[in-house]
Amino acid sequence: MARRELPLGRPDLPPVQPLLRTTLSKDDVKPRLLGHWGTTPGLTFLYAHLNRAIAERSQPTIYVTGPGHGGPGLVAAAYLDRTYSEVYPDITEDAEGVKRLFRQFSFPGGIPSHVAPETPGSIHEGGELGYALSHAYGAAFDNPDLLVATVVGDGEAETGPLATSWHSNKFVNPARDGVVLPILHLNGYKIANPTVLARIGDDELEALMVGYGHKPHVFVAGFDDESHEDVHARFAALLDEVLDEIADIKAKAADGDESRPMWPMIVFRTPKGWTGPDYIDGKKTTGSWRAHQVPLANARDTPEHLEVLHSWLASYKPEELFDEDGKAADDIRGLAPEGQLRMSDNPNGNGGLLLKDLRLPDFRDYGVDVPVPGGSISEAPKILGTWLTDVIRQNPDNFRIFGPDETASNRLQAVFEETDKQWNADFVGPEVDEHLARAGRVMEMLSEHQCQGWLEGYLLTGRHGLFNCYEAFIHIIDSMFNQHAKWLKVTDDIPWRRPIASLNYLLSSHVWRQDHNGFSHQDPGFIDHVVNKKAEIVRVYLPPDANTLLSTYDHCLRSRQYVNVVVTGKQPAPNFLTMDQAVAHCTRGLGIWDWAGTEVEGEEPDVVLGCAGDVPTLEALAAADILRREIPELKVRLVNVVDLMRMQDEKEHPHGLSDKDFDTIFTKTKPVIFAYHGYPWLIHRLTYRRNGHANIHVRGYKEEGTTTTPFDMVMLNDLDRFHLVIDVIDRVPSLGTSRAGLRQRMVDARLDAREYTRAHGDDLPAVRDWVWPAAAEAGLDTEVDATVATGGDNE
Amino acid sequence: MARRELPLGRPDLPPVQPLLRTTLSKDDVKPRLLGHWGTTPGLTFLYAHLNRAIAERSQPTIYVTGPGHGGPGLVAAAYLDRTYSEVYPDITEDAEGVKRLFRQFSFPGGIPSHVAPETPGSIHEGGELGYALSHAYGAAFDNPDLLVATVVGDGEAETGPLATSWHSNKFVNPARDGVVLPILHLNGYKIANPTVLARIGDDELEALMVGYGHKPHVFVAGFDDESHEDVHARFAALLDEVLDEIADIKAKAADGDESRPMWPMIVFRTPKGWTGPDYIDGKKTTGSWRAHQVPLANARDTPEHLEVLHSWLASYKPEELFDEDGKAADDIRGLAPEGQLRMSDNPNGNGGLLLKDLRLPDFRDYGVDVPVPGGSISEAPKILGTWLTDVIRQNPDNFRIFGPDETASNRLQAVFEETDKQWNADFVGPEVDEHLARAGRVMEMLSEHQCQGWLEGYLLTGRHGLFNCYEAFIHIIDSMFNQHAKWLKVTDDIPWRRPIASLNYLLSSHVWRQDHNGFSHQDPGFIDHVVNKKAEIVRVYLPPDANTLLSTYDHCLRSRQYVNVVVTGKQPAPNFLTMDQAVAHCTRGLGIWDWAGTEVEGEEPDVVLGCAGDVPTLEALAAADILRREIPELKVRLVNVVDLMRMQDEKEHPHGLSDKDFDTIFTKTKPVIFAYHGYPWLIHRLTYRRNGHANIHVRGYKEEGTTTTPFDMVMLNDLDRFHLVIDVIDRVPSLGTSRAGLRQRMVDARLDAREYTRAHGDDLPAVRDWVWPAAAEAGLDTEVDATVATGGDNE
């Protein structure tokens, strides 16, 4: 079924008279009243005042709606400034258009109740609360002329991500970045409760804002008899004052003073549902949580409520607001600025319009030398870092790296040759403030929510970036990923939305190497979480070495509208593929490593060793090495998977292999022992419809891990080389009992390795120092220039 | 492999001389130095001072270590107060014990580097940062005599969850709850960066704490030549002052003044790695981020570093701290209080010791009348609420309900007959402050992180509770769930840890009924996330109606050491099972609903309709109704699944069905059309090893949803009754082309339903008002006393 079309419906269906020219009747009311009123009047008020100021100052501005359920306010604003009719020509500027506009709202086949991708000018749906300020600052970075007016709901303000996002003002540069103007909309109530910030008194609230580094301007209206005119005059004056303060700060910064100012913010305290009915059925409504959603949900069936509804709507005097034809009156239309100064039409609200391709240096020039498989050792992200350094050099204003505190720990430290971490809190001195500067391409704050939110805001306004994070803790933003993936899916179907750069993850402190931290830092489940989202949106890559990582990331930075998850370890590990091989391998997404197997040309193998992920690849190769020595006649095929989605059916994922190709590689009937980076079930899921799926035996993470050594960790989860050999013996029918001796030796080898580890606190040297035989034979120096000790190795 | 045992190792392995009686040699240093030094001295300092005050005041206290990577400090503290040797007799109070203590730290087979479950007194591992204060307040609720001393790291303070958790002080009741004393450990640095709060100046920091509702006491030490004696004297005086302030507040509250005080908190500003080497290799170490982890990681192989290490350790004068035998000196040992006043031995740190069974009223007494299947309609959670009301009544001090803002929206409003929402921010008046009070059993703050963290703290200290939440937004705490599940798994293997009550979720605003909100509020993936954790820990229930929900929740509140996920809708929906049937059904976990099928005794069915979840069950029954009318000869079996883990193999989950039972119910060879609440893949995963798995065809959520009606929503995802009938026709070989007419009618029925929805904004009455034929025949009144309109229906 097609996803979206504007509904027409029968002409006699509600609202039959959108402009309220006669008394409302039951037939004017939709059968299902959906949406949220309480936050909407405040959003509309602020939008209108900003319009006035923008027009006067020609100040490019976007509007971020924290209380995104106030969709009606933003849709109406876009309609009144005419953007809406431009992108949805069916919604005309006349009575019929108004009717369609009203009807389609939260109506089957119509538009969502939130400030969704369908809403012109939106980069922030606000369905899940907490990210308004993070998105706003993301939009502001490298956008020096932009004002991001950001309404923070006082409900949203209770969430953790929002509570820390106020501190974003320590990361924004007053000269080189844009300005975020936070407006805390203190309407006092959530769904069924008062809000915390509305109930702590003015002194504490102002102290809180000062503590967050802001100069608060408190505006209170709607609680007394003050006329609307006076309220508007007061707010207009306040807004001018605030914008003047901002202009002063920007002017000082332009003169070279980049020190952190106390940025102004506005506390906007009004009744919830302001201008709605004070009481309904004797219960306080406006100015209470009862105004949150639909105050008169039963208006269709309750005549008294219908009357209240009519009086309420009539109080806005629609006859003064619309002309005979149902077109908004000229003075209303004239309030909005022109063209792209309209907040609904600012291209930052449709970032793909501003997107430029990155200038990408040829990643092949950054590759490592791999004379024979395993013939050199690298920390793969460190190699990636050398390339990213030049990416930064060549794209000084539209590419940033985000991470909680780990860009160096994740081995991207080379980038600090070219850039710094942007920091606008206090400095102490060069002894400790290494690579910190008022402007830089790396953004580090110990909040995964902030990193994700900033990056999303940065991407949605047409720029590029990546987020490096511990694999276990990327789950902290599971829910934010959901929302971004949903946003991308929806925008794919909206013709006027232009594609944006992909959201790229680099998870290089992964489950298998949490030597310093142990069980709490082990969780490879983000991949599982990601693959539940639409196949068109998600990509997962597990490059096994440095050259494949370079090739993968080049691809990611060129892609659009995806979420790319790249998992690769940061510890010293062998390289297996030359750059040419890596490019070919990544292009295929998976492939047979014939140098690692013992196949006979023209014959099917006896067993396939599959692997995906760097540690599993190493163990699979070590198992292949044992097998070629111990059972040389066994025809072993080794298949490495970089692009995990290749495992899935082509009907289910655009990257999926055809069944024919899959069968050619994995065979239809032979046992496949698959060593996988994450939870084993995912491989079964991806291969569920494959012919040979019943023969696939997966080893992966089983939630077994504790304080241990790297090899002991893989042993705890039965992913180690010895266990893979045991799996081969147990699964290849021709081996069976005839190899009981080898099997026993593998069992013993595991026990020996374990005992050594427990006695010495380190892995058995024979295991730890194993190298692929070709490298050993070549006598190559496989020492690594590893980042050690104080600082760089921190985790 | 067994998970944990204390390592012995060879006696000549490091540390050979733990008490530093000769100069350190290479052999005294472990080959792999792991752990985190920077935070540890501050933690130790605070612990020691608290010991002094606790002993003097006999104040029961626990210590929550936000910077949980400071495990060495807490392990050492537990060793010095002798708790450690009590629970781990192998770690004796002599040189050999000290050696074992040192050796086992972050060593294979030993203990983690964090304040993990293995650490006596810990309820907070701190591996994932952000939850120290939430856990602390959870521990304090209903614990009026307890002091929870909580160290918040300044790194952790940047996370979102921590940033909002300061506001917990608006929810704690000074008379009936315990006291949290936050100590912000401002050591200034993270892994590789300064911290934000250390770089905003004293004025902003103090304003921030005032804004958070605290009275800050700032303590600075370690940056000048002040003697240790003077530092200690100053801090002891400060701690006494703070504890006196707390005592005053408690005294006032005991006198009836329960108004919110400005609770004291301490800002503890010291150098990171205080007392460590100032410089290493010419680089500033103590007082910088370089002190974070292991400052001398290469001491084993770098003689100069070994010397530095020796001098550093010698500076603590171990000869004064330990006697000849290696036992801590009497004055050191005497610092700690006695018995359970020791923070490591407080039973709240091992909450199972304090756990009492709930007094549970017989849930059968709260059931709904179900004269025939479908013969009554309920909002299931509303029925559950009546039972929970009495649970609260009978357990007034050890059971709480947590939720962001939705306890009433989730239809548990009956509980407000008995209790209130606990709220200690300002009150305005009864018109708006409905069910708000200074003490109450319901905790609502718009932060899923807070709800989860509070509940965890409450459970870990031996109490009971549940968390009600929107299904989509429970993903916000994915990562917290991970950590709690890991905690439970580990504690299962620690003999001295006693079982605690399960963590119970109630997700009743689920994916299928987001009428007000749409796509951003649709995500059933939490179940997928949960099942990646250890089978011994996780349980998932999908009760299809009110009586099954009662029976399920009774079971959940009796269980221990699990995470129970219960998903059930809050909208009016038919009841199918009488209470007796419900109890039997829930006991089995899944079962054949013979009244719904058209089986012939003694014969295999032609097709099995499986269902799990309330909406899928309704659609499966409606499909069965169509089939019995249209193809009466078709032998249809309907199987409903309440306990999702029954689908899995008994070898993989303790609740798993045996293959024999599974085959008996689902058959080995017949098509199974399975209507499932969530992402379809999970059913394939759970049944992967079942004989008939290739015949199972699953319908579920496919990430297709937008602004629509309930039936349109299921149609968008092909989970609707008409599509299920099409699936049956397509999958039952005997039907095939002979039923092309019926198949076409089903296709047409979908199109009709869709067209009606788009024209009328509501579902086709024939679909919307469908009831199971027995109920229709009985002419029963299936009107519901639904919660409508303003307030209760808010979402």
Side-chain angles (χ1 to χ4, degrees), chain A residues 379-382 384-385 388 404 406-413 466-474 505-514 521 541-543 549 553 565-572 614-615 677 792 794-795:
Chain A
E379 297 158 296
K382 197 171 176 184
L384 180 68
L388 289 174
E406 299 143 8
T407 302
S409 166
N410 285 328
R411 305 293 188 271
L412 300 179
Q413 66 270 50
L466 71 86
F467 179 3
N468 72 93
C469 186
Y470 272 48
E471 184 180 33
F473 300 143
I474 197 70
Y505 294 102
L506 178 66
L507 309 179
S508 63
S509 295
H510 67 47
V511 55
W512 298 105
R513 291 302 304 273
Q514 291 301 331
H521 285 51
Y541 300 98
L542 296 153
L549 176 61
Y553 238 91
V565 181
V566 181
V567 188
T568 195
K570 68 186 187 184
Q571 303 294 339
D614 55 353
V615 166
H677 171 83
N794 277 341
E795 282 167 36

Side-chain angles (χ1 to χ4, degrees), chain A residues 13 32 113 158 164 191 193 279 289-290 293 405 431 434 444 478 486 515-516 522-523 533 759, chain B residues 13 32 113 158 164 191 193 279 290 405 431-432 434 444 478 486 515-516 522-523 533 759 794:
Chain A
L13 288 173
R32 305 172 79 239
S113 62
E158 294 178 20
T164 202
I191 295 178
N193 283 295
Y279 287 81
W289 46 268
R290 295 187 189 91
Q293 205 175 63
D405 186 21
E431 248 189 354
E434 220 173 80
E444 295 203 333
D478 274 3
K486 282 174 183 278
D515 310 3
H516 278 272
Q522 295 163 357
D523 193 298
K533 288 288 167 285
Chain B
L13 288 174
R32 305 172 78 239
S113 61
E158 294 178 20
T164 201
I191 295 178
N193 283 294
Y279 287 80
R290 295 187 190 91
D405 185 23
E431 249 190 354
V432 286
E434 222 173 79
E444 295 201 335
D478 274 3
K486 282 174 183 280
D515 310 3
H516 278 272
Q522 296 163 357
D523 192 299
K533 288 289 167 285
N794 276 341

Side-chain angles (χ1 to χ4, degrees), chain A residues 224-305:
Chain A
D224 55 22
D225 293 335
E226 187 183 19
S227 73
H228 282 188
E229 285 72 15
D230 289 350
V231 169
H232 284 299
R234 273 205 299 126
F235 192 80
L238 173 66
L239 186 58
D240 279 331
E241 181 187 344
V242 164
L243 294 177
D244 288 346
E245 281 180 19
I246 289 172
D248 286 348
I249 292 170
K250 292 293 281 186
K252 266 190 211 153
D255 287 346
D257 177 4
E258 293 191 7
S259 66
R260 176 168 67 93
M262 293 295 271
W263 290 102
M265 61 80 60
I266 297 172
V267 176
F268 184 65
R269 191 190 279 262
T270 69
K272 184 154 187 158
W274 193 15
T275 70
D278 275 347
Y279 287 81
I280 294 175
D281 296 338
K283 290 189 170 172
K284 176 81 176 149
T285 301
T286 296
S288 91
W289 46 268
R290 295 187 189 91
H292 178 74
Q293 205 175 63
V294 180
L296 293 157
N298 297 329
R300 194 176 155 94
D301 301 316
T302 313
E304 315 85 76
H305 283 191

